[in-house]
Amino acid sequence: MSLTSGGQSFTIPGGQVKHVSARMAPHGFSASLTFWTTMEKKDAPLFLAFQKPDLIEVRLAVSEARPQAEPPPAPLVLRGLVRGRRLQAETHGALKGEARVFRRYTVEFADPAQVLWRQHRPTELHTDMSMAEILEAHKASLQLSLDWATLKIKQPLFCLALGADAPGVSFYDFVLWYVHTHQGVFTYDSQKNQYLLTDSKPAEGQPANLSPLSVQSLRVHVPAPIRHGTRVLNALAAAPTTQALEQPQAVAGVSHDVLLREPLATRAEARQKQEKTRLQVRQPRYQLAFKDFPPVNVFPGARLQLTGPLWAAGLTGRDEDLRVQTVELEARADDEGQHAGQANPSATFQTRVALELESAAEPAVALPAFRAPRYPIHVEGLVHSPGGEPEDRRYLISEDEKTSIHSFRMTVPLWNKTVSVLAEPIHFPGQFFFPPYKNTRVLVALHHERAELLRFLDWKEGVRPPQDGQGDQILLGQNKKSQTALTHDFQDDKPVWRMLRTSGGDTQVVRMGEGHLFIQVKESEASAAPTPTYDVSPQVQAAKGDLTASVGESIGMTSTAYQGAMGATRAKMKSAQAEAKTALSGARKEVGAKVAEAKGTLNGAAARLDQGTGELAAAAASAKASLEKLR
């Protein structure tokens, strides 16, 4: 065992360790460790380092001192960060006027992701970024291996909503939630101190044969069957769909419904595939306890087989390829006193090791409990419309050529990112067309991978009537030099309606008041006629946006298709392997039955032969006795 803090490393001999408790799972581990030190002074380096708030790294390797198996199993290795510490001192007299004490150290530690990511709660907005890039940006000191096509798909919008306004949700929760919703696999390799994010469970190495002689108990846990089907409902007014997903164990009329509002058929179909996968039948699990320290590798992900003639012939899981899911380790030194084994590199422990196993063909992924991030978060934005002057009232609607979806663009000043929102009437009925103008303050809802325009926060300049009056006004047009204003207010407590059109120096006024109608057409000679121009910036920006979206969508569709094809191929391979194993198991049983039958026949024949030999010997003895009498 070793501790590292503040650049200092301390090695603790095995004889000083008195208690170890650990629970290892595919996603990580948590452990506690207690050890005594020899007589120390007040300025002992470990004692001083232990009191500082520096990050403490722990490395613990547990193995059998005299292994009986050849080759010996790999040691259980735990590398983590301390998240809790305790210290107890026992005075042991004085030497040369200085007090000397034994110190009892206790550390609670876990894998690095649990310690660091559970305290990491960023709130960020990214555009044109993939999950792989997000993980690389937030990995801190963690080692990551990202072998999953979904992680590398760039998203037009990617929002992390993990700030103080979402209590209890950390970046660790977010990663687990992402893996769960996208049906990936999150595993921790304790031997390499590395995290793997993949699309399927690792299947490396060959299974080790496990004899029942080292097993204390074995229990088989059969999971409850899923009794429901699933319906995916897409609530579109123009083309609503209801897709029923059946599964053999479902009871008629029992269903889990998933409600969507997704205009893109490809995304709706992807969600249907996800929900179909969740209906897969779970396979049995096995709870196994050892008599002594295991003679085989037992870290999470290790593979075992219950093989050999000592296992019961009809045992569930016999000769099946099994994978270690969890490992529970409890070790207490035979002598827990502070004086024992201080200088010994090893000690004798009473150990308890228990495993939970699953079939290597089990597709379901077991993740720890997590809190789902809260979406949406609300931020202020400005309507983005390129071209013209800053005060111009322009709007831009982009159309995706593939999906025909129209969108507005919104800039979020907090992160200086521009995102797309659906171009919808928002709070107006369909017969009104009032698109959001450039630089209008709006409230934007940011979801995980999309944004939504909620409402407007301010009036454009010149729209609001004077404070000392009462009235309403609609301002249409591009700017003060080119616009039409419709105003209804009160003058002398009498309603007045006015329409003012302005185009450079050309103005027209229509005003209706109490008892009169005023119409005026006027052109100012001092104002020069504006030079007609045509700004193509909005079209250029729209084309850029469409091209980016099209490329991203194509990459996403290609990656999704590739992942789907690989998933189908893996499923077929696993199915073929399962069928082959089943057939092999059946063949083994049939051969075993025939061998047993042949043994029975041979034993019967041998018994009859023995009987015949006995009878012949008796007859010979009788004949010999008769001959003796004749003599």
Side-chain angles (χ1 to χ4, degrees):
M1 173 201 168
S2 63
L3 299 176
T4 303
S5 176
Q8 294 180 288
S9 182
F10 306 92
T11 300
I12 309 299
Q16 296 182 9
V17 178
K18 302 303 177 183
H19 176 250
V20 176
S21 177
R23 187 180 190 278
M24 306 173 67
H27 57 271
F29 72 89
S30 57
S32 66
L33 176 70
T34 299
F35 62 92
W36 283 95
T37 59
T38 56
M39 294 183 294
E40 292 182 328
K41 300 187 296 183
K42 292 183 179 179
D43 59 347
L46 176 59
F47 175 63
L48 295 178
F50 202 75
Q51 297 180 82
K52 296 179 181 179
D54 296 344
L55 199 64
I56 300 179
E57 300 180 14
V58 180
R59 185 187 185 278
L60 174 67
V62 181
S63 61
E64 193 173 6
R66 293 180 293 275
Q68 299 178 0
E70 286 295 338
L76 282 176
V77 179
L78 302 178
R79 302 177 186 177
L81 301 177
V82 172
R83 56 182 179 183
R85 63 186 88 174
R86 297 191 301 275
L87 179 61
Q88 175 186 341
E90 181 177 317
T91 305
H92 192 71
L95 181 64
K96 295 182 180 181
E98 292 185 278
R100 298 300 179 98
V101 295
F102 286 107
R103 293 195 173 96
R104 185 175 186 265
Y105 294 85
T106 300
V107 293
E108 297 175 355
F109 61 106
D111 61 281
Q114 288 197 67
V115 178
L116 299 179
W117 277 355
R118 284 195 184 278
Q119 299 187 42
H120 185 43
R121 298 172 61 189
T123 300
E124 299 174 352
L125 174 64
H126 301 278
T127 56
D128 195 28
M129 203 167 186
S130 66
M131 180 62 176
E133 294 172 305
I134 295 290
L135 291 170
E136 289 292 337
H138 293 270
K139 69 178 182 180
S141 59
L142 276 60
Q143 299 182 44
L144 304 178
S145 175
L146 310 177
D147 187 16
W148 185 10
T150 300
L151 299 177
K152 300 174 184 179
I153 300 175
K154 288 187 177 293
Q155 301 295 339
L157 183 153
F158 203 111
C159 177
L160 293 174
L162 309 173
D165 58 341
V169 182
S170 65
F171 190 76
Y172 189 74
D173 293 301
F174 171 78
V175 172
L176 295 177
W177 169 80
Y178 184 93
V179 171
H180 173 73
T181 55
H182 292 78
Q183 296 182 318
V185 180
F186 177 78
T187 54
Y188 171 67
D189 188 337
S190 61
Q191 307 296 107
K192 299 179 181 179
N193 194 28
Q194 183 183 56
Y195 295 89
L196 296 85
L197 282 88
T198 57
D199 59 353
S200 61
K201 295 181 179 180
E204 300 178 356
Q206 295 296 323
N209 296 332
L210 180 62
S211 168
L213 296 178
S214 59
V215 176
Q216 182 178 15
S217 64
L218 174 63
R219 295 181 180 180
V220 180
H221 174 70
V222 180
I226 301 174
R227 298 303 184 190
H228 66 83
T230 298
R231 294 186 304 179
V232 180
L233 315 176
N234 197 358
L236 297 178
T241 59
T242 299
Q243 180 65 44
L245 307 177
E246 306 294 341
Q247 63 102 0
Q249 287 76 31
V251 176
V254 180
S255 173
H256 279 191
D257 289 350
V258 178
L259 182 63
L260 307 177
R261 180 178 171 261
E262 181 54 70
L264 293 180
T266 54
R267 294 180 182 176
E269 291 172 358
R271 183 59 182 273
Q272 292 170 13
K273 292 180 181 179
Q274 289 183 359
E275 298 302 325
K276 182 67 175 178
T277 305
R278 300 188 200 281
L279 295 176
Q280 292 177 335
V281 178
R282 304 296 188 263
Q283 300 188 34
R285 287 177 174 261
Y286 308 86
Q287 296 175 344
L288 184 148
F290 288 95
K291 296 177 181 178
D292 300 305
F293 199 81
V296 295
N297 292 333
V298 292
F299 52 84
R303 294 163 64 189
L304 304 176
Q305 272 191 351
L306 309 180
T307 58
L310 299 180
W311 290 104
L315 176 67
T316 302
R318 178 179 174 176
D319 298 327
E320 184 179 351
D321 192 354
L322 304 177
R323 181 189 295 112
V324 176
Q325 275 291 98
T326 62
V327 181
E328 292 186 0
L329 168 67
E330 187 84 19
R332 290 188 179 274
D334 287 343
D335 191 343
E336 298 188 54
Q338 62 270 38
H339 299 276
Q342 287 291 333
N344 295 339
S346 62
T348 304
F349 289 84
Q350 298 296 324
T351 60
R352 184 186 68 85
V353 180
L355 307 180
E356 184 175 9
L357 308 171
E358 67 173 7
S359 170
E362 173 64 80
V365 178
L367 294 173
F370 60 87
R371 294 176 182 266
R374 190 198 68 181
Y375 288 105
I377 59 173
H378 302 106
V379 296
E380 288 194 14
L382 298 174
V383 177
H384 177 74
S385 179
E389 299 298 327
E391 64 275 6
D392 286 353
R393 295 187 292 273
R394 288 176 172 266
Y395 70 88
L396 173 66
I397 298 180
S398 302
E399 180 180 3
D400 190 302
E401 294 182 355
K402 289 187 175 181
T403 63
S404 299
I405 293 179
H406 297 79
S407 59
F408 300 125
R409 301 281 286 168
M410 305 289 160
T411 298
V412 182
L414 178 60
W415 294 288
N416 194 27
K417 300 293 184 181
T418 302
V419 300
S420 296
V421 301
L422 285 178
E424 298 175 323
I426 310 174
H427 298 302
F428 288 98
Q431 61 266 32
F432 289 85
F433 182 74
F434 287 92
Y437 285 146
K438 177 180 180 179
N439 290 333
T440 300
R441 281 181 61 217
V442 294
L443 185 65
V444 179
L446 295 177
H447 298 261
H448 173 44
E449 292 179 348
R450 64 182 180 89
E452 181 182 4
L453 174 59
L454 294 182
R455 58 187 177 88
F456 299 95
L457 300 177
D458 204 356
W459 291 279
K460 295 296 290 184
E461 182 182 359
V463 176
R464 181 177 175 180
Q467 184 68 22
D468 56 356
Q470 294 287 317
D472 306 286
Q473 182 170 243
I474 300 176
L475 194 60
L476 309 174
Q478 184 173 345
N479 50 43
K480 292 180 180 180
K481 297 180 181 180
S482 180
Q483 67 180 15
T484 300
L486 303 176
T487 307
H488 180 277
D489 58 10
F490 291 86
Q491 298 178 10
D492 297 331
D493 293 333
K494 301 293 179 64
V496 177
W497 181 86
R498 179 175 62 256
M499 180 176 66
L500 172 61
R501 176 188 177 275
T502 302
S503 178
D506 187 30
T507 61
Q508 294 83 35
V509 178
V510 177
R511 183 171 64 243
M512 292 185 294
E514 190 75 13
H516 70 272
L517 171 64
F518 176 78
I519 301 177
Q520 181 187 60
V521 178
K522 181 179 179 181
E523 184 175 2
S524 173
E525 297 179 357
S527 301
T531 304
T533 60
Y534 186 72
D535 188 357
V536 298
S537 299
Q539 285 73 18
V540 172
Q541 291 293 331
K544 288 182 179 179
D546 291 344
L547 179 60
T548 302
S550 177
V551 172
E553 183 73 17
S554 298
I555 294 175
M557 292 175 64
T558 302
S559 300
T560 302
Y562 170 77
Q563 185 177 353
M566 290 299 296
T569 302
R570 289 193 184 97
K572 291 179 180 178
M573 291 176 63
K574 289 181 178 179
S575 177
Q577 290 175 357
E579 291 178 0
K581 288 180 180 178
T582 302
L584 180 59
S585 178
R588 284 177 177 172
K589 292 180 179 179
E590 185 178 354
V591 171
K594 290 183 178 180
V595 169
E597 182 181 356
K599 285 183 178 179
T601 303
L602 289 174
N603 290 335
R608 289 192 297 271
L609 180 60
D610 290 341
Q611 182 180 0
T613 304
E615 292 176 352
L616 181 60
S622 177
K624 186 177 181 181
S626 298
L627 288 173
E628 289 293 333
K629 289 179 180 180
L630 292 175
R631 290 178 183 177

